[in-house]
Amino acid sequence: MPLTVGLTFDLKQDYPQEMSSAADDDCELDSPETIDAIASALEKNGHKVFKLGGGRNLPQTFEIVKPDIVFNISEGLYGRNRESQVPAILEMYQIPYTGSDPLTLSICLDKSMAKKIISYSNIPTPAFKKVEEVDDIYGLDELDFEFPLFIKPCYEGSSKGIRLDSKIKNISALKEKTLQLLGTYRQPVLIEEYLPGPEFTIGVLGNKKPEIVGIMEVRSLNNQNKELIYSYEVKKDWENQVQYLCPPPISPKLESEIKKIAINSYRALECRDVARIDIRLDKHGTPNFLEVNPLPGLMPGYSDLYIMAKAVGINYNVLVNKILSYAIERYPHLRINNCRSLFV
Ligand SMILES: Nc1ncnc2c1ncn2[C@@H]1O[C@H](COP(=O)(O)OP(=O)(O)OP(=O)(O)O)[C@@H](O)[C@H]1O
Ligand SMILES: [Mg+2]
């Protein structure tokens, strides 16, 4: 039986201008084309879709009508809990939804919190320090990590606040960049050991037995031996700057180590339905957890998850409906209704 599916999202064009403090402020938000593509994929599978928009619109809507389930890609507004806002509203109204719950979304958005859980789970991740405020920069002289280091805002995505000079070679550059990030992004800064090895992103789907969609290596395009910093500048000009290798030319041993870290990280952070995990090799060639994106981009044609799915013969419509199906599995009353759902 077809379901009524609400689609929750935040568009770049709706981003409140008064919130803008940096040039890359709205880069995590979605475009109308992505929303239309998700809606069309769900409709082609027989569902009736309502585009509900962002969190502020929802309580009023849900007082009048509730969809059977919500397909959530809302990024939310303000702070490290922003991605949790819509799922928290959905839980308040007891409406089923796709993806991770508010706790996981908040923890994953705060890279230092995620890394604490990852370290506790014995998954390799670079040593790190969180700098909360300007006064903390005096403590940076005491850091016992070796340079080079890497510096980034604690609660961002889409390489917001990450530039080619985020790789830091000495203490004066570290202090200068820390002050700059604290001032511009108004949130703590994460300083971590720099990982010099190749970079991979891994798509994961599912719950009890999560499945790897694919592993994709991201490499510098012009100079294959150049270390990649997948910064805001590079992501903006990706067509000229990077190549995506999916599957990557790696040994079966490395492939299985990367998959193990991806699945263990997904489980440790209690991700649901879908996520994309970024992994990079350290100087010994050991894969390390960098961060996880439990709301990975779903732009058709371009997003990492789209590329990985396509490489294994999963088209966009199937990908979107697979995410919905994994969510439906959680809700017995929907499972019965949806048992004849066909992937298009
Ligand atoms: N410790 C590190 N060592 C080396 N490079 C790093 C490190 N941390 C981040 N980077 C580089 O910066 C890029 C962006 O970092 P990260 O993935 O943490 O940011 P993000 O904004 O959350 O990205 P996404 O677009 O995946 O949401 C990485 O893909 C990697 O190239
Ligand atoms: Mg990343």
Side-chain angles (χ1 to χ4, degrees):
M1 213 174 95
L3 300 174
T4 54
V5 184
L7 189 48
T8 50
F9 53 85
D10 292 292
L11 292 179
K12 282 185 201 289
Q13 66 206 47
D14 297 334
Y15 189 78
Q17 284 307 306
E18 80 275 4
M19 278 177 62
S20 275
S21 59
D24 50 9
D25 251 348
D26 65 356
C27 63
E28 286 185 288
L29 306 180
D30 284 293
S31 64
E33 292 75 32
T34 303
I35 308 310
D36 289 345
I38 296 171
S40 152
L42 297 168
E43 281 163 356
K44 283 187 181 144
N45 204 26
H47 302 302
K48 188 155 179 49
V49 178
F50 295 93
K51 294 178 186 166
L52 301 175
R56 286 180 177 173
N57 303 331
L58 300 179
Q60 245 182 330
T61 307
F62 296 153
E63 290 296 338
I64 301 163
V65 60
K66 291 180 188 175
D68 294 323
I69 188 163
V70 162
F71 194 103
N72 175 47
I73 60 161
S74 169
E75 297 284 341
L77 297 169
Y78 313 114
R80 68 177 172 176
N81 298 304
R82 61 187 183 271
E83 291 182 354
S84 312
Q85 290 164 351
V86 164
I89 294 170
L90 294 167
E91 293 197 352
M92 193 195 294
Y93 283 92
Q94 293 187 293
I95 296 172
Y97 61 94
T98 61
S100 296
D101 80 349
L103 181 63
T104 291
L105 289 165
S106 290
I107 289 174
C108 294
L109 194 55
D110 181 338
K111 292 181 171 127
S112 76
M113 293 298 282
K115 281 162 68 73
K116 283 181 195 172
I117 291 175
I118 290 294
S119 306
Y120 175 81
S121 310
N122 294 319
I123 297 166
T125 191
F128 69 102
K129 182 173 173 60
K130 183 179 188 177
V131 178
E132 301 270 358
E133 53 187 20
V134 171
D135 281 352
D136 294 344
I137 69 157
Y138 300 109
L140 295 179
D141 290 312
E142 316 291 310
L143 271 189
D144 54 0
F145 310 152
E146 275 177 29
F147 286 93
L149 301 175
F150 201 85
I151 183 166
K152 51 191 173 185
C154 222
Y155 322 143
E156 297 299 349
S158 306
S159 285
K160 208 170 145 177
I162 298 176
R163 301 288 189 276
L164 294 171
D165 66 359
S166 299
K167 178 181 175 183
I168 302 285
K169 299 193 178 116
N170 56 54
I171 185 72
S172 62
L174 181 64
K175 287 183 179 172
E176 190 183 320
K177 188 77 182 171
T178 303
L179 289 177
Q180 186 219 319
L181 289 184
L182 285 172
T184 307
Y185 295 95
R186 316 244 168 91
Q187 63 182 279
V189 162
L190 186 76
I191 295 168
E192 59 181 10
E193 287 174 335
Y194 178 75
L195 297 171
E199 177 160 332
F200 304 90
T201 191
I202 297 93
V204 183
L205 287 174
N207 293 306
K208 278 205 180 89
K209 283 190 185 159
E211 53 169 312
I212 300 275
V213 183
I215 302 178
M216 183 161 87
E217 181 175 347
V218 189
R219 260 193 215 171
S220 283
L221 186 58
N222 300 321
N223 176 356
Q224 293 215 7
N225 295 322
K226 200 174 117 194
E227 280 171 23
L228 169 79
I229 295 182
Y230 203 12
S231 63
Y232 179 68
E233 304 99 317
V234 172
K235 282 182 187 169
K236 252 179 104 173
D237 187 32
W238 62 272
E239 281 157 307
N240 300 311
Q241 303 266 354
V242 288
Q243 55 180 323
Y244 300 111
L245 305 170
C246 186
I250 53 174
S251 68
K253 180 171 173 278
L254 180 58
E255 182 184 329
S256 90
E257 285 172 7
I258 289 175
K259 282 184 175 168
K260 190 171 154 200
I261 294 213
I263 297 287
N264 288 349
S265 305
Y266 191 88
R267 288 204 163 116
L269 292 160
E270 299 187 11
C271 294
R272 298 195 312 205
D273 304 339
V274 63
R276 224 197 65 230
I277 292 151
D278 292 342
I279 286 177
R280 201 161 154 128
L281 306 193
D282 65 15
K283 60 183 175 196
H284 307 294
T286 304
N288 273 239
F289 169 94
L290 264 189
E291 58 124 9
V292 58
N293 300 284
L295 286 180
L298 283 175
M299 196 200 290
Y302 300 105
S303 58
D304 294 345
L305 201 62
Y306 169 92
I307 299 170
M308 286 185 265
K310 188 166 175 244
V312 292
I314 301 178
N315 73 30
Y316 187 78
N317 292 347
V318 173
L319 176 67
V320 167
N321 283 290
K322 254 178 176 283
I323 296 169
L324 184 75
S325 274
Y326 278 121
I328 286 170
E329 284 291 304
R330 247 191 317 283
Y331 306 100
H333 68 288
L334 296 181
R335 222 159 50 203
I336 298 159
N337 281 343
N338 200 50
C339 60
R340 288 194 311 112
S341 170
L342 294 173
F343 290 145
V344 282

